[in-house]
Amino acid sequence: MIKTPPSSVDVVLPCLDEAEALPWVLERIPPGWRAIVVDNGSTDGSPDIARDLDAHVVHEPRRGFGAACHAGLTAATADVVCFCDCDASLDPGLLPTVAGPVLDGTADLVMGRRRPTVRGAWPVHARVANLELARLVRRRTSLDLRDLGPMRAARREALLALGLTDRRSGYPLQMVVRAADDGWRVVETDVPYLPRTGRSKVTGTWRGSWQAVRDMRTVLAEQSATATAAVVGAGIDGGAR
Ligand SMILES: Nc1nc2c(ncn2[C@@H]2O[C@H](COP(=O)(O)OP(=O)(O)O)[C@@H](O)[C@H]2O)c(=O)[nH]1
Ligand SMILES: [Mg+2]
């Protein structure tokens, strides 16, 4: 029997009520790559639409952007995994450019830096908050990042080894901070940012924005795992002497 080779790249698409955006998003998945749509309790028929469009659908009962992303990562089998929002604000057709440096081994994590195409693609408050977040991340990690966007690519096993624990809005930030702490080569590449289709679940709402700020604060307050291990190690050594 001929076995189908596992797809080279899996694309994780967190999805909460994105029925309107799904067709546009899924038809742009690069040929041969696998779309993993992680449904997080949609009530608008998103999972059925995704299945009809040949996506692999995963259900994550626990709400939260991070819960959905992580369920997708856990379900992935390809060597390289991309993440992309499922709201038609980012074109999955650009993913080969984003994943390129990971596939050719010149980077460990590639982040799409969002460049709005039109006024209104990115609400001002969200943009300002993101700029501030990028500044804090530069200070915390010494990575020269300008954005913390959702479009990214990295190796699956390396991502799993980061042991990410955030399951809400801090997930993408925790990924970057832990990757930096582990010495990953992290690079940024520009990606056009379009006005999303449908209603925003995170930064378009006060509740979502507030929760995002709280989650991100928690992640930034986390001690570097390596630094903590060094301190603990020093403590144990000191105690033995
Ligand atoms: N599965 C799941 N997806 C979510 C959740 N919150 C947001 N998303 C998805 O994550 C992506 C980003 O959310 P979005 O509302 O566009 O956030 P924004 O870009 O910050 O406004 C979209 O594809 C959403 O459908 C959630 O709680 N669960
Ligand atoms: Mg969005």
Side-chain angles (χ1 to χ4, degrees), residues 213-231:
V213 168
R214 273 196 3 220
D215 293 348
M216 294 195 181
R217 248 197 224 136
T218 309
V219 171
L220 283 171
E222 262 181 17
Q223 275 253 353
S224 138
T226 10
T228 311
V231 171

Side-chain angles (χ1 to χ4, degrees), residues 21-37:
L22 272 165
W24 187 95
V25 171
L26 291 177
E27 77 187 16
R28 283 167 173 77
I29 298 292
W33 293 21
R34 183 168 70 138
I36 301 179
V37 172

Side-chain angles (χ1 to χ4, degrees), residues 85 87 89 193 196:
D85 274 1
D87 60 358
S89 62
Y193 196 44
R196 86 175 330 281

Side-chain angles (χ1 to χ4, degrees), residues 141-202:
T141 65
S142 76
L143 291 175
D144 188 27
L145 293 177
R146 305 286 134 180
D147 187 18
L148 285 145
M151 194 181 220
R152 357 176 123 191
R155 297 213 162 258
R156 182 176 59 86
E157 284 180 359
L159 282 169
L160 287 168
L162 291 178
L164 302 179
T165 52
D166 190 289
R167 293 294 179 264
R168 297 196 313 195
S169 304
Y171 188 86
L173 174 62
Q174 192 180 45
M175 186 189 292
V176 173
V177 170
R178 294 214 173 164
D181 288 349
D182 283 3
W184 286 29
R185 296 160 300 164
V186 182
V187 297
E188 226 175 23
T189 185
D190 284 359
V191 290
Y193 196 44
L194 317 163
R196 86 175 330 281
T197 299
R199 194 177 49 80
S200 163
K201 318 298 179 311
V202 185

